[in-house]
Structure formats: structure tokens, C-alpha cells
Amino acid sequence: MKENIAIGIDIGGTNTSFGFVNKKGEVYFQKSISTQSYINFNDFINKLNTEIENGQKIISETKNIKLIGIGIGAPNSNYYTGNIENAPNLPWKGKIELVNIIKKYYKVPTFLTNDANAAAMGEMVFGGAKNMKNFVVVTLGTGLGCGIVANGSLVNGHRGAAGEMGHLIVKENGRACNCGNNGCLETYVSATGIVRTVRKLLGKQHNTSKLEQIPANGIDAKKISELANNGDNIAIEAFEQTGEKLGKALAKVVTITDPEAVFLFGGLAKAGNLIFEPTRLYFNKNVMNVFKNNIPILPSELNQNAAILGAAAMVF
Amino acid sequence: MKENIAIGIDIGGTNTSFGFVNKKGEVYFQKSISTQSYINFNDFINKLNTEIENGQKIISETKNIKLIGIGIGAPNSNYYTGNIENAPNLPWKGKIELVNIIKKYYKVPTFLTNDANAAAMGEMVFGGAKNMKNFVVVTLGTGLGCGIVANGSLVNGHRGAAGEMGHLIVKENGRACNCGNNGCLETYVSATGIVRTVRKLLGKQHNTSKLEQIPANGIDAKKISELANNGDNIAIEAFEQTGEKLGKALAKVVTITDPEAVFLFGGLAKAGNLIFEPTRLYFNKNVMNVFKNNIPILPSELNQNAAILGAAAMVF
């Protein structure tokens, strides 16, 4: 008997990864290609198709598979239209009718959603939210994304723009955001946000931080995390401030959506207790009684291949 | 042929209203009884049953009806358990297994939800949200409630506590709230919240407001609205500050849920432009571009019998 397989594709600003995934979340073949090398979208699609066909051949040597669908996660994607629209971090400008184009090649059901929604689907199908009908996934990358599941379904909203938690204004006249507003959550809580926090803290002239010895443009979230784990005071303070903002914002999202649990996903979430402890502390301080100490804030259980699994999960 | 009829019951702290409603939202018979006169819950249920039976007899004289279900809206209600739990504004303490009790008498499907969710259901079935799958209803009464519909279904959340928008913290160390926290939205935006705002503004010693001539405990939202319509400066300022807080909070709820429209329901919403204009202004100032000037903030289209219609809507 043939085994049902979905292709999960994760289109990022730097690289695009894809993989062949079965119902259990096992990845049979995966590969990455450069996104940014293909300024012309047709060239990108041709390269992607060639690699997918190559993958299919390799798998077919040992397994009997049937492609039942394709799921794609990409920034600035609209689930309803199947289009990528004006993505500032992708090389192709304007509107890309991605689902229509992919369907022409493969003639299987094809789904497109943004990265955070794909992460939420992945968590539900393959990760820690397997038995949950109401939960929230927050993705902490260059920006901050949020996928919300209610009544067992993804909340897409009217125009496919639900879950824009990264653009909750958490400080009036705060940091400038790419969206045009000021004080958006993601300017504080993201891999880039914590770097801005460190730069600001360095302005306060602590004399004991190793971060003073690195040029500002050499500081990244990973470095801050390493130094915090070694007891660096500014690095620790930066994580505390980040967790405070995240915990207070989660209190708002939980008050609106009443999830069973919240999952944190992505680079910053890998900093473990550095981020989880202040987040939980300020969440519980700022949420109403019915939710206090009642909402597990957990690391995502999707680690390797998470983006591919999340995209493929839309098919299953 | 018999006409399908639902009973809608609205249990409030002062009165309980019920009505027989058909699929078009026509109310054939309705009546109110006192809630607060019945300290003993069994006495209350006996009175309610007697009045419902009486209503059935009266309708049966002219119409051929079939009771297909009962919907109940009540404060502190849990949709999942069918219970009212620890309602501070009702005379019966602890847990009331309302749905189980009602089912024993009528042997039809019976649904219980909180007032704001009932208002959202009413808006969807009989009101302005008839063709919408994603929208938000905000009820402005003694407190502030919020019902959210996503993908065509009410968002109840994991424990039936979704939509607690009234308890978004909008000011750190702000006004004391009944929930135990400080700075909750409903301490500013509600019939009681606007009275607190007026009291605070009176402390600023404007000398031209008629509100100075009324004892503090004689000021209510209706009076403030009347005076604002007559150009009273403190009354107008109070509505502006209320709309500012509401608009900014709606920006947060919309950023999370991406609705097609927002409906305002209840006493304060009847103040018309006094509340709608500042709400829309500060909403659009504080929301990201995709939503700016893109989300209609509208008065509820349920006016008369709204609470009964909302409760009955759960059946249809």
C-alpha cells in the first residue's frame, strides 16, 4: 500500500527548506535552497521544482509514496487568497500568487499560511498541543509571530491577519517599528528587540558587562544568551526586561482567547529559563485570577524541522 | 404545521426576562420577573416555570408552536459546564447547575452562556453580523463584556473564559477592579467607569459643569450623556477619555482577532457619537496599517429584546 505523504515548504528570507513528511511527522527527505539568490520568482520556482522532483526520485527508490498535498509557510502570506503580498524580507515584490502557481505543477491540495500559523498547526499535529482545542503559539524570531487555535481551528480572521501580537502597542511613543507604528511588542520581544534592549542598557554605563567589549553590530541574541548564562549582568537584565514585556502581553492575549497552554517557539525560546522565568512571573502578576498560575507557558515541542513539519501539518 | 420556537432567558442581577422567539427573531410573548426578590434559587425557578407555562398557554390560543430549545444568558456562566459560578451580582451563591435543572423540566436542548457571548450570538443570528464569520461584540453595561466569533463560531476558550476584554490592564497601578487587579479596562470603560472618570475630572475644578451641582452618588452614565449632549465640558471630556481607552483596547483585540467589524452594545453605546467618535479616532491612531480605517465600529443592530434574542439565538 502506498504511504500518504505531504510536502512541507518553509520560505524564509535567507533560505527555503522543504521536506517530505508522513502522518507521524517523520521527514523522509529534506533540502534547503537559497531564497535570496533568486531575484526572479520564476527562477526560484524552477529550482524548487527541480529539487522536489529529485527528492521524489530518491525516496521512490526505497518507499512507495503518494503525494496528498502541499503546505507552505511564508512571511506575509494570506491563507484565504493563497498569495504572498508585499513581503519586505523576500526578494519578490508585490503580489505572488503562490498557491495557484504550485497547484499547476502538482495538482494536489495546496495551502499557504504565515510562519506563526504554520508553527501552531505543527504544534497541534505533531507537537505539544496534540490533544488541545484552544492554545497559542508565539514565534520569537527576527520578529514576533503568533498563531491562535480556538475550537480546534486556526483563527485566521477576516482578512487572514489574526494573531498580529507582535504589533500590540506595549509602550506609547516607544521604539519605532517596521510597521510604521511605535512601541510594538516585537520591537522589544524578538531576536532583534533584545539586541535593542542591550544597546539601551549599555547606555547606562555598567562597567562589568562583556557586551561593552563587542561592537554594537556584533551583538546578537545568541551572544546575549551565552553571556547571560555566564552571569553577565546586562545580558541577564536584557532577558528579564524581555520576559517582562512578553509576560504582560501574553496576559492580554490569554485574557482574550483563554487557551489551555501557550507555547514559545524559535531562537529566543531556546534560551530556556532566562526567558521563561521572567515571562511566567510577569504573566501571572498581570492576569486575572481565573488564569493566574493556570496557564502553562511551555517550550514548543517542535524542534528539528519545525517549519517543515508545521507547513506539512496543514495537509494532514 | 407547527412553528419552531426557542425560549430566550436573560438572567440579570435585578430582573430576569424571557421570551418566545421564532427563527426570524420575532418575539411572541415576553415577561420579566424580579431576580433579586428570590433569595432561594428553587423559589426563583418555580416562579420562572410558572410564568413560562403561562406564556405557552397564551401563545397556544392563537399559534401552533413547538419548543425546540432554551437559551440562557447570565453573568459568570460557563458554556461547557452549564453552571453559573460565584456570580457576585446574583442572589445565589456558589455553583448553580442551571442547565441540568432547566433540562429536567423541559427536556429540550438547553444552552447557557455569559451575557456578552449571548449578545454576539444575537448579533450573528438576528442583527448586524448576519453574514459575518469573524466579528467582535463589546457590551457596555455595569461592566464591559466581549463576545468573539471566529470562523463562524463563538470563541469560548478552554475554560469558557475567553473574551474577558474588560480585564485587560490598560493602566499600571490604575483603578481598583472587582477582579482584584488594578487598571482593568472596565474600571474606565463601562457605565460605572465613566462615572469614576467624571468624579476624577470634577477634582480638577472646572467651574462650568452642571455635574458639580449633583451629589457624587447621583451621577450616572445617562445623566452624563444628557449633559454632554447639552455641551457640558466635563461630561464631554469624560466621553472622550472613555472612547480613548476603548479605542486603544479595541486596537489590541482587533490585532489579535482580525474581525470584519466591531459592534458596541448596551447603555453607553446608546450615547452615539459621544462614544463612537473618540473610540474610532483612537482605534485608528493605535492600530497597524492593515486594520487602519478598515474595521467598522458600529452600534449593535439588536435593540429591543436584545438579551432575549441573544439567548434564543444559541438554539437556532
Side-chain angles (χ1 to χ4, degrees):
Chain A
M1 216 182 87
K2 289 193 175 187
E3 185 177 13
N4 287 341
I5 288 284
I7 300 178
I9 304 174
D10 172 52
I11 301 181
T14 311
N15 292 308
T16 294
S17 309
F18 70 91
F20 293 76
V21 181
N22 72 4
K23 219 178 169 175
K24 293 181 196 158
E26 291 163 345
V27 180
Y28 284 160
F29 176 90
Q30 67 172 105
K31 187 152 186 181
S32 280
I33 62 172
S34 166
T35 309
Q36 60 192 1
S37 307
Y38 297 92
I39 308 294
N40 183 303
F41 180 72
N42 286 330
D43 294 345
F44 169 78
I45 281 289
N46 287 335
K47 174 69 177 165
L48 184 63
N49 283 334
T50 306
E51 293 296 344
I52 287 175
E53 280 165 26
N54 184 41
Q56 268 178 314
K57 268 183 215 149
I58 291 170
I59 297 174
S60 301
E61 288 168 12
T62 58
K63 294 190 194 306
N64 196 6
I65 61 166
K66 185 190 172 193
L67 180 64
I68 60 160
I70 297 175
I72 311 164
N76 301 79
S77 295
N78 189 311
Y79 177 79
Y80 297 122
T81 61
N83 300 337
I84 299 178
E85 286 169 31
N86 306 308
N89 297 322
L90 296 181
W92 323 301
K93 298 308 156 206
K95 188 169 77 177
I96 306 285
E97 297 189 8
L98 188 62
V99 165
N100 281 340
I101 293 165
I102 295 281
K103 268 185 180 168
K104 270 186 210 158
Y105 286 90
Y106 296 96
K107 309 204 186 305
V108 290
T110 301
F111 308 92
L112 172 71
T113 195
N114 70 47
D115 353 15
N117 284 348
M121 291 302 294
E123 207 66 47
M124 184 157 62
V125 178
F126 302 120
K130 259 179 200 158
N131 299 311
M132 296 185 187
K133 298 231 169 277
N134 301 277
F135 65 95
V136 169
V137 172
V138 176
T139 61
L140 300 165
T142 312
L144 184 152
C146 172
I148 298 165
V149 170
N151 301 318
S153 300
L154 207 52
V155 175
N156 283 296
H158 178 59
R159 46 190 76 62
E164 285 287 2
M165 180 183 174
H167 299 283
L168 289 181
I169 294 179
V170 296
K171 189 169 179 185
E172 293 212 20
N173 305 312
R175 294 179 185 170
C177 182
N178 289 335
C179 80
N181 279 336
N182 285 77
C184 291
L185 182 65
E186 76 173 24
T187 67
Y188 300 89
V189 182
S190 63
T192 50
I194 195 168
V195 171
R196 290 167 88 167
T197 301
V198 161
R199 288 182 176 201
K200 194 184 158 198
L201 287 169
L202 284 172
K204 291 195 176 171
Q205 298 291 351
H206 292 257
N207 292 311
T208 52
S209 172
K210 288 227 168 99
L211 287 158
E212 295 176 308
Q213 300 162 21
I214 309 171
N217 66 5
I219 296 173
D220 61 19
K222 204 176 157 201
K223 189 83 205 154
I224 300 167
S225 172
E226 280 169 23
L227 289 172
N229 277 318
N230 287 325
D232 187 281
N233 59 344
I234 285 192
I236 290 171
E237 173 72 16
F239 270 103
E240 281 179 1
Q241 290 191 9
T242 305
E244 177 176 348
K245 286 269 196 307
L246 178 56
K248 287 178 178 176
L250 280 177
K252 292 188 166 51
V253 173
V254 165
T255 299
I256 302 298
T257 60
D258 180 16
E260 185 171 351
V262 172
F263 297 89
L264 304 187
F265 177 95
L268 267 193
K270 290 187 184 139
N273 280 343
L274 285 172
I275 186 78
F276 279 92
E277 279 186 5
T279 300
R280 289 176 184 137
L281 178 71
Y282 285 96
F283 170 79
N284 286 314
K285 267 192 183 175
N286 286 277
V287 82
M288 60 190 296
N289 280 329
V290 61
F291 303 120
K292 221 181 269 288
N293 301 310
N294 221 349
I295 309 284
I297 300 176
L298 304 167
S300 165
E301 288 186 17
L302 297 180
N303 286 306
Q304 286 202 314
N305 308 319
I308 291 172
L309 287 175
M314 285 189 284
V315 176
F316 291 113
Chain B
M1 214 183 88
K2 288 192 175 189
E3 185 177 13
N4 287 342
I5 289 285
I7 299 177
I9 304 174
D10 172 52
I11 301 180
T14 311
N15 292 307
T16 292
S17 308
F18 69 90
F20 293 76
V21 181
N22 73 4
K23 218 177 168 174
K24 293 181 196 156
E26 291 163 343
V27 180
Y28 284 160
F29 175 90
Q30 67 171 104
K31 186 151 187 183
S32 281
I33 61 171
S34 167
T35 309
Q36 60 191 3
S37 306
Y38 296 92
I39 307 296
N40 182 303
F41 180 72
N42 286 331
D43 295 345
F44 170 78
I45 280 289
N46 287 336
K47 173 70 176 167
L48 183 64
N49 282 335
T50 305
E51 294 295 342
I52 287 175
E53 280 167 24
N54 184 38
Q56 269 178 315
K57 269 184 213 149
I58 291 170
I59 297 174
S60 301
E61 288 168 11
T62 57
K63 293 190 195 307
N64 195 4
I65 62 166
K66 185 189 171 194
L67 180 64
I68 61 160
I70 297 175
I72 311 164
N76 301 79
S77 295
N78 189 311
Y79 177 79
Y80 296 122
T81 61
N83 301 338
I84 299 177
E85 285 169 30
N86 305 312
N89 297 321
L90 295 181
W92 322 300
K93 298 310 156 203
K95 187 169 80 177
I96 305 284
E97 296 189 9
L98 188 62
V99 165
N100 282 339
I101 292 165
I102 295 281
K103 267 185 178 167
K104 272 187 209 159
Y105 286 92
Y106 296 96
K107 309 205 185 302
V108 291
T110 301
F111 307 93
L112 172 70
T113 194
N114 70 47
D115 352 17
N117 284 348
M121 292 302 294
E123 208 67 47
M124 184 156 63
V125 178
F126 302 120
K130 260 180 200 156
N131 299 311
M132 296 186 187
K133 299 231 169 276
N134 301 277
F135 65 94
V136 170
V137 171
V138 177
T139 60
L140 300 166
T142 312
L144 184 151
C146 172
I148 298 165
V149 170
N151 301 319
S153 300
L154 207 51
V155 175
N156 282 296
H158 178 58
R159 45 190 78 60
E164 286 288 0
M165 180 184 177
H167 299 283
L168 290 180
I169 293 178
V170 297
K171 189 169 180 187
E172 292 211 20
N173 306 312
R175 295 180 185 168
C177 182
N178 289 334
C179 81
N181 279 336
N182 286 77
C184 291
L185 181 65
E186 75 173 23
T187 67
Y188 299 89
V189 182
S190 63
T192 49
I194 195 169
V195 171
R196 290 168 87 166
T197 301
V198 162
R199 289 182 176 201
K200 192 184 161 198
L201 287 169
L202 285 172
K204 290 195 176 170
Q205 297 292 352
H206 292 259
N207 292 312
T208 52
S209 172
K210 287 228 169 97
L211 286 158
E212 295 175 308
Q213 300 162 21
I214 308 171
N217 66 6
I219 297 172
D220 62 19
K222 202 175 160 203
K223 189 83 205 158
I224 300 167
S225 173
E226 280 168 22
L227 289 171
N229 277 319
N230 286 325
D232 187 282
N233 60 344
I234 284 193
I236 290 170
E237 174 72 16
F239 269 104
E240 281 178 4
Q241 291 192 8
T242 304
E244 177 177 348
K245 286 272 196 306
L246 178 56
K248 287 178 179 174
L250 281 177
K252 293 188 164 54
V253 174
V254 164
T255 299
I256 302 297
T257 60
D258 180 15
E260 185 170 351
V262 173
F263 297 88
L264 305 187
F265 177 96
L268 267 192
K270 290 187 183 139
N273 280 342
L274 286 172
I275 186 77
F276 278 94
E277 279 185 4
T279 301
R280 289 176 183 135
L281 178 72
Y282 285 95
F283 170 78
N284 286 313
K285 265 192 184 174
N286 286 278
V287 81
M288 60 190 296
N289 280 328
V290 61
F291 303 120
K292 223 182 266 289
N293 301 309
N294 221 348
I295 310 284
I297 300 176
L298 304 167
S300 165
E301 289 187 16
L302 297 180
N303 285 306
Q304 286 202 311
N305 308 320
I308 290 172
L309 288 174
M314 285 189 284
V315 176
F316 290 114

